[in-house]
Structures are given as structure tokens and as C-alpha cells.
Amino acid sequence: MSVIVRNDFGAVAVNKDAIERMIIEDLLGMSGAVLLCNKKGKLIKEKPTPLIDPDYYDAVEVSEKKGHFTVKIYVIINEGYRIADVANDVFRKIEQDFDMLKLDRPESIKFKIRGLKSDEIEKRSIDVVRNNG
């Protein structure tokens, strides 16, 4: 739980599950470029739906220690997209989510590509990291 605002009447806090949900919504909006997968690279859904399925939470990990966040995202990239461009777009969206909540940006964001999808999924293990520390 992260405290956002504290005043005479109390504090407003955000649960890490709410942050994960915001990130999942951002990633589902990029369904042309990325598909969510679990840590092992297994595709969560072939055709993403606009509704948040609980299985999507396997694709995003947000952890907090002493007010410092780290975010890990597991995806499969569709053919025809540049990894660097997609990663920068994801990093920007996550940072905007944290800025909107008035939280410090995550200390590190790890974008873990577990495969490339053309006709079939080709297994890969590519990690792109942004450190804001």
C-alpha cells in the first residue's frame, strides 16, 4: 500500500493491485504490438478482450520496498514492431500512471520479452530495463 496524500483528515492510499490493473489496461490498449504472457512465456489469451481477466495479473509484477517500486512486465511482441520503440512506449505509459497517482516513478521497470509472434510464437528471452533511481 502506498500513501499518496496525508492531511488532517487522514490519508489516501493506493493498493499495488490497483497499479497493476492500470498497467494491464495500458498494455491491453497496445494489443497490436504486445500480447501478455506469464513468466514462462505462455500466452495468456490469444485474442485479448477489453475486460480484465484475472489471468492477466500473471503478466505484471509490481513490488514495493520502503517506498521504492519495481515493475516487471512479461510480453510477447508481434512481428513487425521494433522492440526499442515498444519498450519506450510501455515505459512512458507506466511512468505516466505513477505521475498521475503522484507517486515517485518506479526505481526500475523491466520489460521482459518472452517471445516473438509471427505465424507461431518463437521463444526469446530479451530484457529491456529502465532505471529511474
Side-chain angles (χ1 to χ4, degrees), residues 6-129:
R6 187 179 299 272
N7 60 27
D8 295 335
F9 301 107
V12 176
V14 173
N15 190 324
K16 80 174 191 74
D17 291 339
I19 296 170
E20 288 176 347
R21 183 180 177 94
M22 290 174 67
I23 294 170
I24 290 168
E25 287 176 355
D26 289 341
L27 294 171
L28 289 176
M30 301 175 62
S31 62
V34 297
L35 300 169
L36 300 175
C37 68
N38 64 16
K39 291 178 187 179
K40 295 180 181 178
K42 184 177 179 220
L43 193 61
I44 292 174
K45 281 193 170 187
E46 184 69 35
K47 300 210 184 238
T49 60
L51 303 174
I52 301 236
D53 189 313
D55 292 340
Y56 285 135
Y57 287 95
D58 292 342
V60 177
E61 290 179 15
V62 175
S63 60
E64 177 197 13
K65 289 185 183 173
K66 298 180 183 176
H68 299 286
F69 285 93
T70 57
V71 178
K72 292 180 187 173
I73 301 163
Y74 300 92
V75 299
I76 294 172
I77 300 268
N78 277 322
E79 184 180 46
Y81 290 92
R82 290 190 45 200
I83 292 172
D85 293 340
V86 174
N88 282 328
D89 196 25
V90 169
F91 294 149
R92 183 182 50 76
K93 287 179 186 231
I94 291 172
E95 289 170 349
Q96 285 175 346
D97 289 342
F98 277 79
D99 291 344
M100 182 181 72
L101 295 172
K102 296 189 181 0
L103 294 170
D104 292 335
R105 288 184 173 180
E107 216 168 77
S108 72
I109 304 170
K110 296 180 181 173
F111 187 65
K112 297 179 167 279
I113 299 145
R114 294 296 171 241
L116 300 172
K117 185 171 190 315
S118 52
D119 295 333
E120 292 185 20
I121 296 175
E122 301 172 30
K123 295 286 185 184
R124 295 285 188 271
S125 184
I126 303 167
D127 293 357
V128 182
V129 180

